[in-house]
Amino acid sequence: MKKEEFSTLLGEIDARYITEADTLPRPSHRLRWTLLAACLCLFLGGTTVYAASSHGAWITDLFTDRDESGYDLALMIEKIDTDTLSPQLRAVGSIIVRQYRESQPYDSHYPGSWDKAFSSAAEARDYIGCKALIGLDWALEETQTQLNVMGTPDGKLQSIHLETDYTVGDIRLQAYTQLYTEHYTGELTTGLRAAEEISFTPTEETNDVGLPWLLVRSSPMESGWAGLDGYLVRDGVLYKLHIAYLAKDAAEAEGLMRQWADCF
Amino acid sequence: MEDDRIVELFWVRDQGAIAAAAEQYSSYCVAIARKILGSVEDAEECVNDTWLAAWNAIPPNRPEVLSAFLGRLTRNIALNRLKRDHAEKRGGSASPIPLDELAEIVSDTDTAEAAYDRRALLEAINAWLGGLTPTKRGIFVRRCWHFDRVNEIAARYGMRENTVSVTLRRLRTDLRRYLTERGFSL
């Protein structure tokens, strides 16, 4: 059977499945449990005490199934004031307003998200302008840096995500810097998903100046790639590092993860 | 305007039906056609044909879900146009990636041995879809029906692009196995 013929046949699938796919998915039960867990921690521990005594990220759900594995993390982060951001970044709000204004209900692109590529992470940090941001003082070559800004229909910036990628031999590194503003009303969560059965081992660590951080080791996938994920919160900023590596590079990957944590 | 009212206008041969359908579903249909044809201009031309096709199809058809009905017409028209353009350019026009991926499910050949009953095959595909979780079904439909890009699907479902790619590959493998086990020689 020709693929075109099969595609035509797929065009005739039950209309219920098409309308279902046209509808934006609701947050999963796991996310709602994460929110509940985060609220509970706030209620029981109190913001100041908990934030001062932890790395600011803790696991609320961890699961390993045949088709999907992953974990959710609740975050304890102080939201930053948008006034501390650079004027050029705050001006992105007007772009987001325009996105919402020109958006059509069935557009494939969602309004409220703006991306910009930079030649370096330092350039992107200058663009963001927030003094709390810490640059990674390590001698790895950056392969790409991408900034993402999310905002409301009335142009209020809600979150700023910066990703910088590196490669060291066969090891792939993705370093993330995430800020949430006073306008962010969603769940402060993050996590990881994989489409196969892998296991995760979280451990609490401290860096060379005693700052706590969370390390999650992922067992190798079928492709042979294993993962290390580090989470550290400092001055209202979430720093994440994802490392994908092959078994032969396990020791070097661990070393890179600890180098990253010691940058703070 | 409500979908029932638009269908009713088509049904009584009121030409206002086309304007009402276009107002409600133009961007939806253009988005579908654009992903197949790759150009907004071509997509808009294609969607103009959709309104004519809907005019010719209603009656006798009375669609229960108008968006899916118009989307399906658009999708078919766009795929036919792609096929025509491809033939005219003697292979010069590339097919969309999601279409190429379907070659992982079917042989992509026109052999006489390929035997299947079209209605039974469609029922089997619907049954397979019905057995998936809503998220996996959505990922598959967004890719194979709407021709969404992987990054668009990842954004929609809050997943990593790599997870979406791996999920899609597994779903295609699973559908091929499912159909083969039920005697469909594709």
Side-chain angles (χ1 to χ4, degrees):
Chain A
M1 186 179 206
K2 298 289 283 182
K3 64 191 180 200
E4 290 84 1
E5 198 180 349
F6 190 68
S7 180
T8 304
L9 191 72
L10 284 178
E12 295 170 29
I13 58 170
D14 196 319
R16 281 177 305 162
Y17 301 145
I18 299 162
T19 47
E20 178 187 64
D22 282 336
T23 309
L24 280 175
R26 297 173 61 190
S28 71
H29 288 292
R30 286 199 174 99
L31 282 178
R32 273 178 259 146
W33 276 110
T34 301
L35 177 64
L36 183 64
C39 293
L40 196 62
C41 285
L42 275 172
F43 178 73
L44 294 174
T47 309
T48 310
V49 174
Y50 200 90
S53 63
S54 83
H55 35 66
W58 65 100
I59 288 182
T60 55
D61 190 13
L62 194 151
F63 59 98
T64 299
D65 298 326
R66 190 181 71 84
D67 291 328
E68 190 180 26
S69 309
Y71 57 83
D72 293 320
L73 290 172
L75 303 171
M76 180 66 70
I77 304 180
E78 290 172 38
K79 292 175 183 171
I80 63 151
D81 191 334
T82 41
D83 289 342
T84 63
L85 301 172
S86 71
Q88 54 194 351
L89 186 64
R90 277 181 278 153
V92 171
S94 60
I95 298 173
I96 289 174
V97 169
R98 195 163 63 242
Q99 286 179 356
Y100 276 102
R101 198 171 53 229
E102 295 171 358
S103 167
Q104 297 293 321
Y106 292 107
D107 278 356
S108 57
H109 294 283
Y110 295 100
S113 176
W114 180 82
D115 295 292
K116 182 176 172 64
F118 288 88
S119 57
S120 72
E123 187 190 348
R125 283 195 303 277
D126 286 345
Y127 188 90
I128 296 168
C130 177
K131 290 188 171 56
L133 291 183
I134 297 169
L136 297 178
D137 184 20
W138 59 3
L140 303 186
E141 190 179 343
E142 298 174 11
T143 54
Q144 64 164 357
T145 294
Q146 186 82 17
L147 174 68
N148 171 262
V149 181
M150 304 286 285
T152 61
D154 57 352
K156 289 175 179 154
L157 304 189
Q158 292 180 299
S159 64
I160 296 114
H161 292 217
L162 182 64
E163 175 185 346
T164 303
D165 297 348
Y166 309 84
T167 54
V168 179
D170 289 334
I171 304 175
R172 302 171 193 168
L173 302 94
Q174 293 167 286
Y176 299 90
T177 303
Q178 296 180 205
L179 300 96
Y180 299 89
T181 75
E182 74 274 27
H183 303 302
Y184 185 85
T185 54
E187 302 153 16
L188 284 172
T189 62
T190 186
L192 186 146
R193 292 286 184 277
E196 60 185 76
E197 186 174 359
I198 57 174
S199 59
F200 306 98
T201 310
T203 55
E204 298 204 3
E205 308 280 341
T206 50
N207 70 359
D208 57 358
V209 294
L211 195 65
W213 60 287
L214 180 68
L215 171 62
V216 184
R217 294 181 176 85
S218 308
S219 64
M221 302 177 77
E222 286 174 4
S223 57
W225 290 90
L228 291 174
D229 288 86
Y231 301 88
L232 188 148
V233 173
R234 182 168 168 182
D235 299 331
V237 183
L238 169 68
Y239 298 93
K240 295 196 294 185
L241 179 67
H242 174 73
I243 302 181
Y245 65 95
L246 298 167
K248 68 182 176 64
D249 297 319
E252 190 175 2
E254 285 268 347
L256 286 165
M257 178 58 81
R258 291 185 190 284
Q259 275 183 39
W260 168 80
D262 290 342
C263 288
F264 300 98
Chain B
M1 190 182 291
E2 295 287 319
D3 283 359
D4 289 349
R5 178 71 187 128
I6 297 173
V7 172
E8 191 57 37
L9 290 177
F10 274 111
W11 196 260
V12 299
R13 316 306 287 160
D14 183 332
Q15 292 191 0
I18 291 177
E23 186 182 344
Q24 193 82 1
Y25 292 112
S26 182
S27 54
Y28 176 61
C29 294
V30 168
I32 291 169
R34 183 177 55 79
K35 284 172 190 163
I36 296 169
L37 298 171
S39 139
V40 175
E41 292 76 20
D42 289 349
E44 285 172 348
E45 279 181 32
C46 171
V47 171
N48 285 335
D49 292 342
T50 299
W51 312 135
L52 180 62
W55 181 260
N56 291 330
I58 314 171
N61 293 291
R62 192 162 196 130
E64 287 183 16
V65 184
L66 186 59
S67 59
F69 182 81
L70 295 173
R72 184 176 288 148
L73 288 175
T74 305
R75 190 179 179 280
N76 286 342
I77 291 166
L79 285 170
N80 284 336
R81 179 173 177 147
L82 186 77
K83 192 175 173 183
R84 190 195 66 203
D85 290 351
H86 192 72
E88 284 174 359
K89 292 176 185 171
R90 294 179 180 274
S93 168
S95 54
I97 292 168
L99 193 58
D100 288 337
E101 290 170 350
L102 295 181
E104 294 173 24
I105 303 172
V106 295
S107 63
D108 200 27
T109 55
D110 251 341
T111 58
E113 294 82 47
Y116 59 90
D117 174 276
R118 189 179 169 82
R119 184 181 290 273
L121 179 56
L122 185 59
E123 280 176 9
I125 294 169
N126 277 326
W128 175 78
L129 283 167
L132 299 177
T133 62
T135 299
K136 285 185 178 173
R137 187 163 53 234
I139 290 170
F140 185 83
V141 172
R142 292 300 313 182
R143 184 65 168 171
C144 298
W145 199 94
H146 297 76
F147 288 75
D148 275 3
R149 291 197 297 263
V150 167
N151 64 340
E152 291 170 335
I153 299 171
R156 171 175 281 267
Y157 291 97
M159 301 169 83
R160 289 184 178 197
E161 288 181 30
N162 184 48
T163 306
V164 172
S165 296
V166 172
T167 302
L168 281 166
R169 196 167 62 243
R170 288 181 166 205
L171 287 169
R172 289 191 294 270
T173 305
D174 192 52
L175 177 56
R176 182 184 179 91
R177 180 195 54 75
Y178 182 91
L179 295 176
T180 306
E181 283 176 1
R182 280 150 187 80
F184 292 101
S185 171
L186 303 174

